[in-house]
Amino acid sequence: MGMAGTGRAEAHGEAHDRGGSSISRDGAPDAGARAASPPPPERAAHGLDASRVSWSAGSRLILDGVDCTAPPGAVSGLLGPNGSGKSTLLRTIAATQVPDAGEVRFDGDDLLRMPRRRRARRLALVEQDASTDLPLSVLDAVLLGRIPHRSLLAGDTDADRAVAHEALVRAGVEELAERSLATLSGGERQRVHMARALAQDPALLLLDEPTNHLDIAAQLAAMTVLRKLAADGVTVLAALHDLNLAAASCDHVVVLSGGRVVAAGPVRDVLVPDVIEPVYGVRCDVLPHPRTGRPVLVFGD
């Protein structure tokens, strides 16, 4: 399973390790005492900003100078046909592969240069069809998301188990907690991987086809979870195949074609025939949804 990170519990321990000395009444340092480090100033949330990212597989250029942003507290959809570079871009943002060029920043911090454990406290990656040969129960798989939040030799705590249980509930798979991961269907595994990512408590959540293998009800439930996370301040970037699901659930979309960004911005501005038809090679009409007013894409003559 691809495990990449979490977040809002940023590394306060790192600040505490620096320590400091207290000051006596006459202004001189009191060498016998340590003052508590002042809390760090709150950092303004800038969201995700990947710029000029390129990556090649041998002689084949997969990402060609990609600029991709995802606003904080929003659900952003990463769209494009098969082979457009969506999965590669997500793995590059998560630093599971190193780009040939470019930089990736989240809230101003360089994710590519960040120590792995600290990065694992900032972001989580849910990969498409992630699998494992380890004989894990569903609960054990979800508890893997807590690893970045505890010391290297520590086992699962009651607090970890409480967080994992909440993640299972939010992902709608709490009844599977004691099942073996190997016995689950593709859709069940997909929701368990989302629960693992939720247990990481990420500030940035990256998902590669999170609705893959899911039926319609489960797809809508998954997107509802993502919207709730965004409302809580999480920055969400999800690669999606279903353009109508993106139109119904996303705030912002980025469209890739041939490893390049061809359009990015609010859903209403980007999911239009002038963008969709040349990228996907299909006739497209856009109608307003009768209840929500959001775009509905109709394909074919």
Side-chain angles (χ1 to χ4, degrees):
M1 283 174 285
M3 190 178 77
T6 113
R8 285 162 299 200
E10 248 283 62
H12 293 298
E14 295 176 7
H16 293 162
D17 288 344
R18 288 192 291 269
S21 59
S22 63
I23 304 298
S24 66
R25 290 181 183 273
D26 61 5
D30 181 356
R34 285 172 63 95
S37 299
E42 289 193 12
R43 186 192 306 275
H46 301 297
L48 174 69
D49 184 7
S51 60
R52 305 180 303 279
V53 174
S54 296
W55 189 81
S56 300
S59 61
R60 183 184 174 198
L61 186 61
I62 307 298
L63 298 176
D64 185 6
V66 168
D67 292 331
C68 175
T69 62
V75 177
S76 295
L78 186 58
L79 312 178
N82 289 336
S84 59
K86 300 187 300 296
S87 299
T88 301
L89 180 58
L90 289 176
R91 289 194 295 269
T92 300
I93 292 170
T96 61
Q97 64 184 31
V98 180
D100 301 326
E103 63 178 22
V104 180
R105 293 186 176 274
F106 179 65
D107 287 351
D109 292 329
D110 188 337
L111 290 179
L112 301 181
R113 295 179 181 273
M114 187 178 291
R116 181 177 179 181
R117 186 171 176 81
R118 184 182 172 200
R119 186 170 58 241
R121 295 174 182 152
R122 299 293 296 276
L123 70 88
L125 170 65
V126 180
E127 297 190 86
Q128 186 179 172
D129 295 324
S131 61
T132 179
D133 295 327
L134 297 176
L136 296 175
S137 71
V138 166
L139 177 59
D140 288 337
V142 174
L143 280 167
L144 291 176
R146 300 305 301 160
I147 290 176
H149 296 284
R150 58 180 187 242
S151 63
L152 295 177
L153 299 180
D156 302 326
T157 66
D158 289 341
D160 289 331
R161 290 181 174 274
V163 171
H165 177 73
E166 180 184 359
L168 286 165
V169 171
R170 295 174 78 180
V173 287
E174 66 272 23
E175 75 282 0
L176 303 178
E178 302 306 320
R179 287 270 301 274
S180 167
L181 194 61
T183 67
L184 302 185
S185 68
E188 289 170 334
R189 282 198 303 272
Q190 198 74 3
R191 286 187 288 167
V192 170
H193 296 322
M194 181 178 288
R196 186 267 305 159
L198 296 179
Q200 287 183 239
D201 189 29
L204 171 62
L205 178 58
L206 309 171
L207 308 103
D208 192 0
E209 299 294 344
T211 58
N212 196 24
H213 303 304
L214 302 184
D215 58 36
I216 294 173
Q219 288 180 25
L220 296 176
M223 297 309 293
T224 296
V225 170
L226 298 185
R227 292 203 61 81
K228 288 180 178 178
L229 287 171
D232 289 340
V234 177
T235 299
V236 178
L237 179 62
L240 298 169
H241 263 308
D242 190 330
L243 298 184
N244 277 308
L245 191 62
S249 303
C250 294
D251 306 296
H252 172 268
V253 290
V254 178
V255 181
L256 290 177
S257 180
R260 297 181 178 181
V261 174
V262 297
V267 168
R268 293 180 188 277
D269 296 341
V270 175
L271 296 186
V272 296
D274 285 349
V275 173
I276 299 303
E277 290 183 1
V279 169
Y280 287 90
V282 295
R283 169 75 182 273
C284 174
D285 293 297
V286 180
L287 307 174
H289 191 283
R291 291 196 304 274
T292 67
R294 278 179 166 263
V296 175
L297 283 67
V298 181
F299 302 102
D301 295 329

